[in-house]
Amino acid sequence: MGSGKTTKEILKEKLASEEHTPLYNPEALEKINKAFDEWKNTVVREQDRENWDVTPKTILGSEIPRGLLYTPLNNEGFDYARDLGFSGQEPFTRGLHANMYRGRSWTLRQLSAAGSPEEVNDRLKMLLERGATGTNLALDLATVQMFDSDEPEALGQVGTVGVPIDCVEDMEKIYKDIPIDKISASIVTHYPRNTSIIFPMYLVMAERRGISWDKLPGSVQNDFIMESVVRSASEYIPPRDDFRVQCDNIEFIRKNVPRWNFITLNGYNLREWGTSGITEMAVAIANGIAILEDMTKRGHDPDWVGERLAFFWSPANDFFEEVARLRAVRRLWYRVMKYRFNAQKPRSMWSKCHVQTSGVSLQREEPMANVARSAYHAMAAALGGAQSLHVDGYDEAYSIPSDEANLLALRTQQVIEAETQITQVVDPLAGSFYVESLTNQIEALILDEIDEIEKMGGLVDVVDSGWLHNKASRYIQKEQAEIADGTIKVVARNYFRDPNLEMPEIWVKEFDPELGKEMADKLARIRSQRNNEKADNTLKALVDTCKGGGNVMEACIECARADVTVGEMRRAFVDAFGLWKTPIFA
Amino acid sequence: MASKEKIKVLLAQFPLETHSRGIITVAGMLRDAGMEIILMGNALPEQIVETAVQEYVDVIGISTYCGGELALGGQLMKAAEDKGIKERTSFLIGGIFPPKDIPELKKIGFDGAFLSATKEEIVSCIEGAIAAK
């Protein structure tokens, strides 16, 4: 840490000197306190008094204890300007834009894919015709793990959970006839290394269509936590190298594709793997801090970097906690950018976010009940001020969504957006004694976890040591035990479970052996048609860039132009960096 | 196998599998039930069998979410047969796959194939399979 102080210490100092507009005067608080005590001791039943604080038990919950009733006493030092302000202004608690959803609804962005590049192109177009306002591309397992469709490891898995991409030609098929200079594309690349490999294929596709890179709107994931912590696989590079690749990608995209969000700090998958909503946000922000430090060392202005950072969150069951989390993290990120990095532009203090409703919270038993669960998750996202939303399919525990489930999820979004009228008023839960108190508490808890990480040497170190893996592993096992013993109530699974429960017939995506063959044939054709000497040279240059200095994405662009495949690039990275074994605890 | 000895379980995933929540959960359940767990992570079927031979495990458990369960499961059985451990080893598989694959998975040699299961169901399946060996 440059200043020698932790983020928490810096914020504490700076906030103490901020101008104050306290909401409550001490005299009023004293009167309220007296009346509250009297009410609590005379009106409230003894058993409720004794069990005043209850710890909520739910899947992915944070277990922040909740009182029976909230009053100004829960938030005595509440300062309007410092803690709330107005929408579109610092500290952005109330939303990034002054008019929020009156100006523009959140982006309705349903994750979709699976099947061949041609089929996925049809599905993207279907969702856009029915009112989706952005595309969101899921990759198949082989592509996520950077294997070619014809490698033995990919056997039986081509196109099952996403679309397979081996080379630029596949990218051309997926986005055929979609105006990529107007419709923003989210590409779920997961890892930094994967982003270095896949995103250049998108850029070369645009190049071949004659669309210049500075016109392209969209986002990639590019989060080293995904590779080093959340996902498991047989071939990973060490976290420190992966972090460097993440930062190389950021630098390249910021320079060359200025409208593109070069990272989606992915809290979502970490939480869904197994952490509370507090750790989800602490890790994502710690990564954001590490990135800004690295970029500053490379000579870049924090404002230049900050403008294009985006976050990805998972809202789960604890409704008010989820609303409060989105408000809290918006304020905290603003404070980090302003006080730790001295950002000047409001835009670089924004924590724009995409939100996907929680998948792990959805159940196999009576899956139609998941429609209700996801609708509440989505409602929390909207009340919390999200910029972009995906609602999970009710068939989440069975398969990737069927077209029917995907459409129903889009309809859920549209009901919230067009019928419930919650979009008319900005940040409607502000001022609630409960929500504000929870927002403050959550912000403080996230900052405590960031502090813990920084004191252990920073995010890369706690990943390398397995600390984060271990933390998640313990969380997963505790949660499972609490579901098994009924401490966590899950409707239809352990709570009012139907004694004659039968699993419904649900469409499950199956492997299409024809697709595996088509992809393999295409690879054979590409490898015989391309200039293989040129392809080899670009791969050698990639290994050199990884080992020496230079930007790895720049080297990958040349690979993509030479029709080098995903698997070939993966092996170049492994040649350069070697393999790292993920520490798994159980 | 004598019932008083600790049952030894190798838990693994095929090479590309990205979801590990399930395998961590099951590892915890089985350890609670008094079994010895080797959590291998991702590996090719041949490598899984190799480790099973070296560690002399009673059970191989596979966690799968993204397809390939029949193709790679078949390779696992073949490798186990080649190494001569198929008869003495119990095989379980769990995760997300088409329900219609369950009979086929059992036919190729899995003693249990679960789309969801409680700790008791998994333990009882393992004990039953070992008793039948």
Side-chain angles (χ1 to χ4, degrees):
Chain A
M1 282 155 282
S3 61
K5 287 179 187 156
T6 66
T7 304
K8 187 179 172 182
E9 286 159 358
I10 294 169
L11 296 197
K12 200 178 166 195
E13 269 177 34
K14 297 280 188 176
L15 285 170
S17 62
E18 274 223 342
E19 231 177 282
H20 290 172
T21 48
L23 272 181
Y24 309 119
N25 69 55
E27 202 181 320
L29 283 170
E30 205 183 306
K31 279 185 191 165
I32 295 168
N33 198 3
K34 221 171 138 190
F36 177 77
D37 281 346
E38 197 184 321
W39 167 81
K40 195 172 173 183
N41 290 320
T42 55
V43 180
V44 176
R45 291 185 311 176
E46 195 183 339
Q47 70 214 67
D48 290 325
R49 205 155 51 228
E50 279 168 8
N51 300 303
W52 184 264
D53 283 321
V54 168
T55 302
K57 289 284 185 182
T58 181
I59 293 172
L60 300 179
S62 69
E63 306 199 346
I64 299 170
R66 312 294 158 82
L68 183 145
L69 186 84
Y70 284 75
T71 69
L73 300 168
N74 292 97
N75 209 353
E76 292 187 357
F78 202 41
D79 189 293
Y80 192 83
R82 186 194 62 199
D83 299 329
L84 271 182
F86 302 101
S87 48
Q89 277 185 353
E90 302 175 14
F92 300 109
T93 317
R94 311 207 56 187
L96 297 181
H97 309 286
N99 59 0
M100 283 303 289
Y101 303 135
R102 279 202 196 180
R104 184 173 163 267
S105 168
W106 59 84
T107 305
L108 287 72
R109 195 189 290 284
Q110 289 297 125
L111 183 64
S112 60
S116 67
E118 290 87 348
E119 284 167 336
V120 168
N121 177 256
D122 284 343
R123 189 160 318 109
L124 294 179
K125 286 195 279 201
M126 180 275 278
L127 285 168
L128 289 170
E129 276 162 21
R130 285 175 170 70
T133 48
T135 60
N136 199 357
L137 192 72
L139 307 174
D140 80 348
L141 196 57
T143 310
V144 167
Q145 306 287 37
M146 301 157 284
F147 282 70
D148 285 334
S149 300
D150 62 355
E151 290 189 64
E153 287 84 351
L155 187 67
Q157 298 148 85
V158 175
T160 53
V161 294
V163 65
I165 299 176
D166 295 316
C167 57
V168 178
E169 185 181 302
D170 298 320
M171 208 56 110
E172 291 174 321
K173 289 176 186 160
I174 294 167
Y175 289 98
K176 188 166 184 278
D177 301 327
I178 293 174
I180 55 168
D181 51 343
K182 296 192 178 66
I183 306 259
S184 72
S186 158
I187 306 174
V188 187
T189 48
H190 296 229
Y191 320 138
R193 204 160 35 120
N194 200 325
T195 306
S196 306
I197 294 171
I198 299 291
F199 188 54
M201 295 182 177
Y202 188 82
L203 293 177
V204 171
M205 176 269 292
E207 197 171 81
R208 289 180 186 172
R209 278 171 65 173
I211 300 169
S212 70
W213 293 352
D214 60 2
K215 291 201 172 64
L216 300 174
S219 57
V220 283
Q221 222 160 62
N222 187 34
D223 184 335
F224 91 102
I225 294 295
M226 282 295 281
E227 172 159 356
S228 301
V229 184
V230 177
R231 294 309 196 197
S232 62
S234 44
E235 279 196 18
Y236 284 157
I237 60 173
R240 204 162 295 280
D241 298 316
D242 209 29
F243 179 77
R244 175 214 154 180
V245 174
Q246 173 184 282
C247 294
D248 275 10
N249 293 342
I250 290 173
E251 194 175 36
F252 180 89
I253 296 173
R254 187 70 190 90
K255 277 183 192 162
N256 298 286
V257 200
R259 292 181 66 203
W260 200 272
N261 296 316
F262 46 64
I263 190 167
T264 309
L265 288 157
N266 184 348
Y268 184 92
N269 286 81
L270 178 65
R271 186 185 196 193
E272 293 282 312
W273 182 45
T275 62
S276 74
I278 304 297
T279 306
E280 170 191 17
M281 289 180 160
V283 169
I285 290 193
N287 193 6
I289 291 171
I291 288 164
L292 280 149
E293 286 196 338
D294 187 271
M295 287 295 143
T296 309
K297 274 186 210 145
R298 293 179 186 218
H300 300 302
D301 179 4
D303 275 304
W304 182 75
V305 181
E307 278 185 340
R308 281 287 163 204
L309 276 172
F311 293 84
F312 178 24
W313 307 126
S314 139
N317 293 340
D318 191 338
F319 186 78
F320 287 104
E321 174 173 313
E322 297 306 335
V323 178
R325 281 196 326 122
L326 292 178
R327 302 175 81 241
V329 80
R330 211 158 39 232
R331 183 166 69 202
L332 180 57
W333 182 249
Y334 150 79
R335 286 175 171 166
V336 167
M337 286 304 290
K338 184 176 172 102
Y339 298 125
R340 179 163 188 142
F341 294 103
N342 299 311
Q344 303 297 314
K345 294 186 196 164
R347 206 187 154 86
S348 56
M349 304 171 197
W350 289 358
S351 58
K352 292 170 292 182
C353 68
H354 172 66
V355 166
Q356 176 170 339
T357 60
S358 169
V360 161
S361 306
L362 304 185
Q363 304 300 320
R364 283 187 72 77
E365 297 81 3
E366 300 188 30
M368 291 313 283
N370 291 331
V371 177
R373 290 187 181 101
S374 297
Y376 286 115
H377 301 164
M379 180 72 110
L383 291 173
Q387 275 61 57
S388 168
L389 178 63
H390 162 98
V391 171
D392 282 348
Y394 67 84
D395 49 3
E396 175 75 20
Y398 288 81
S399 171
I400 54 157
S402 63
D403 282 349
E404 181 215 16
N406 219 337
L407 184 58
L408 183 53
L410 178 64
R411 294 307 190 210
T412 303
Q413 295 212 38
Q414 288 165 334
V415 167
I416 295 173
E417 187 248 323
E419 296 184 9
T420 65
Q421 304 305 316
I422 63 159
T423 57
Q424 303 292 6
V425 175
V426 175
D427 192 25
L429 295 180
S432 149
F433 303 125
Y434 175 39
V435 173
E436 295 300 356
S437 166
L438 206 50
T439 303
N440 293 348
Q441 230 176 329
I442 287 169
E443 185 189 4
L445 288 169
I446 297 170
L447 194 52
D448 283 346
E449 285 206 15
I450 294 170
D451 204 52
E452 194 183 352
I453 292 167
E454 289 181 349
K455 283 178 175 158
M456 284 186 287
L459 189 60
V460 176
D461 279 9
V462 305
V463 168
D464 205 31
S465 70
W467 176 84
L468 190 52
H469 302 80
N470 204 3
K471 187 179 170 81
S473 181
R474 285 196 309 266
Y475 188 96
I476 291 168
Q477 296 193 3
K478 175 172 175 274
E479 183 176 278
Q480 184 59 37
E482 289 182 343
I483 292 171
D485 70 16
T487 305
I488 294 175
K489 291 191 184 100
V490 185
V491 174
R493 175 165 163 191
N494 66 9
Y495 189 67
F496 291 108
R497 186 186 175 96
D498 179 352
N500 306 311
L501 183 75
E502 278 180 27
M503 292 301 170
E505 284 292 318
I506 288 217
W507 174 88
V508 176
K509 173 76 189 171
E510 285 175 32
F511 173 60
D512 169 12
E514 280 306 305
L515 175 58
K517 196 178 168 306
E518 272 169 40
M519 295 300 285
D521 290 349
K522 173 212 63 198
L523 276 164
R525 174 171 52 77
I526 292 278
R527 288 187 193 116
S528 68
Q529 279 174 356
R530 71 181 179 188
N531 179 337
N532 277 309
E533 194 190 332
K534 191 176 163 201
D536 287 346
N537 287 339
T538 63
L539 278 167
K540 278 185 200 117
L542 173 58
V543 174
D544 290 345
T545 307
C546 289
K547 281 184 174 166
N551 189 295
V552 296
M553 190 173 263
E554 219 164 281
C556 289
I557 294 274
E558 293 309 321
C559 295
R561 282 179 178 142
D563 287 315
V564 167
T565 67
V566 165
E568 289 166 339
M569 283 195 250
R570 178 194 87 248
R571 290 190 289 273
F573 277 94
V574 173
D575 284 349
F577 293 125
L579 286 179
W580 181 68
K581 177 95 177 128
T582 319
I584 315 181
F585 298 87
Chain B
M1 194 194 119
S3 61
K4 276 174 200 158
E5 271 177 53
K6 225 177 182 184
I7 297 171
K8 200 166 172 183
V9 183
L10 176 67
L11 294 175
Q13 297 173 284
F14 294 133
L16 303 185
E17 185 53 61
T18 59
H19 303 87
S20 58
R21 191 184 234 263
I23 202 168
I24 292 171
T25 305
V26 172
M29 286 173 170
L30 299 184
R31 188 168 295 141
D32 273 359
M35 299 183 195
E36 185 184 339
I37 306 300
I38 300 163
L39 195 50
M40 186 178 178
N42 296 56
L44 282 162
E46 299 75 29
Q47 297 165 327
I48 296 170
V49 167
E50 198 63 46
T51 304
V53 170
Q54 282 165 12
E55 298 285 343
Y56 208 84
V57 301
D58 306 296
V59 181
I60 294 176
I62 300 292
S63 177
T64 176
Y65 288 78
C66 298
E69 65 284 345
L70 280 173
L72 293 165
Q75 289 187 357
L76 180 78
M77 293 303 165
K78 166 129 198 343
E81 204 163 346
D82 291 349
K83 294 281 172 188
I85 63 162
K86 191 173 177 198
E87 289 311 308
R88 68 165 163 86
T89 311
S90 302
F91 295 88
L92 275 76
I93 188 164
I96 290 183
F97 39 82
K100 70 169 187 52
D101 286 355
I102 292 177
E104 188 60 28
L105 286 165
K106 293 205 168 152
K107 204 173 126 196
I108 65 172
F110 284 100
D111 301 283
F114 297 104
L115 293 163
S116 70
T118 62
K119 175 177 154 186
E120 290 69 30
E121 285 164 342
I122 301 172
V123 169
S124 128
C125 175
I126 289 177
E127 286 171 351
I130 289 175
K133 295 284 162 184

